[in-house]
Amino acid sequence: MSHDPPRPAGRLLLTPQDKDAPARVRRLRRLGLGERPEPAFDAFADHLARVAAAPYSMVNFIDERQQFFAGLHTPDGARGARLMAGVDGSELEPGRYMARDHGFCPHVVVRRKALVLEDVCDYPRFAGNPVVDEFGVRSYLGAPLLDRSGIALGTICVVDIEPRPWGRAGLETIKAMAAELAGQLERRDEVHGI
């Protein structure tokens, strides 16, 4: 059993090692995913935000270096102009891309399991993530998009700048919606004969 090394105070907690990244990248490229936004993914993110009553939601594909929000919902409807305001009120512009060591989706992809963080500050492992200080993220709910071979292509997730009691209902909802989108991706795969 592996354990995370101790984290020096004030240092970035490293994203877990992702041994499946090369296979994921090949699969994403074959499917034509992870390089450009798609209206269907934006619509899915909008629907996910409504269902979860969350201000932000994403359909996120992850490669070896970065995350790409192929689907994005923000409260003001901006699609890539501004993901969130900084905690000091300044506007940040990560757009549809985010470094792989930011956020919680890379953890979901490596674990291949949903992750519920009702208040990220309650979890020392996650409280030091850059999105907490830079964007003010306080709660996260995400699930992996598993293809038929078991590769986690990415995630769907919702986030809030306030703590949220997602509960069992939130967990079941995010898992069901991830399975729904994974099914759509599989049908897309079949149509293209990949």
Side-chain angles (χ1 to χ4, degrees):
M1 175 178 259
S2 66
H3 296 280
D4 292 329
R7 182 176 151 233
R11 301 293 296 218
L12 174 66
L13 179 64
L14 295 177
T15 303
Q17 182 181 7
D18 185 0
K19 63 180 174 40
D20 293 333
R24 176 182 320 104
V25 170
R26 285 190 301 274
R27 185 86 173 118
L28 288 171
R29 297 305 173 256
R30 281 196 304 267
L31 291 168
L33 297 171
E35 297 180 315
R36 66 186 175 287
E38 294 190 25
F41 293 141
D42 283 338
F44 189 92
D46 290 341
H47 177 65
L48 177 59
R50 281 191 303 278
V51 167
Y56 302 94
S57 67
M58 297 94 176
V59 175
N60 186 8
F61 297 113
I62 301 172
D63 67 20
E64 294 158 315
R65 297 180 342 273
Q66 63 190 4
Q67 303 174 65
F68 175 69
F69 304 123
L72 177 63
H73 172 87
T74 64
D76 62 4
R79 301 249 192 231
R82 182 173 64 88
L83 182 56
M84 296 181 204
V87 291
D88 63 356
S90 63
E91 290 192 9
L92 302 171
E93 298 189 17
R96 290 195 183 252
Y97 291 91
M98 186 180 292
R100 201 176 165 285
D101 62 357
H102 283 52
F104 312 110
C105 289
H107 294 270
V108 172
V109 165
V110 170
R111 293 165 28 119
R112 291 190 193 126
K113 289 193 230 176
L115 178 62
V116 180
L117 300 172
E118 294 183 341
D119 185 342
V120 298
C121 294
D122 290 342
Y123 303 89
R125 174 182 181 136
F126 298 112
N129 194 285
V131 298
V132 176
D133 292 333
E134 292 176 23
F135 304 124
V137 170
R138 285 296 300 275
S139 61
Y140 171 91
L141 178 63
L145 294 169
L146 299 172
D147 79 354
R148 64 178 170 240
S149 72
I151 293 175
L153 299 173
T155 67
I156 63 168
C157 69
V158 292
V159 298
D160 202 333
I161 58 173
E162 301 291 332
R164 290 282 302 267
W166 302 111
R168 166 85 42 212
L171 175 62
E172 295 306 320
T173 297
I174 199 81
K175 288 167 58 176
M177 292 193 72
E180 175 187 328
L181 184 56
Q184 291 175 21
L185 294 175
E186 189 168 317
R187 285 188 295 282
R188 172 184 179 143
D189 185 15
E190 291 166 359
V191 167
H192 294 299
I194 299 172

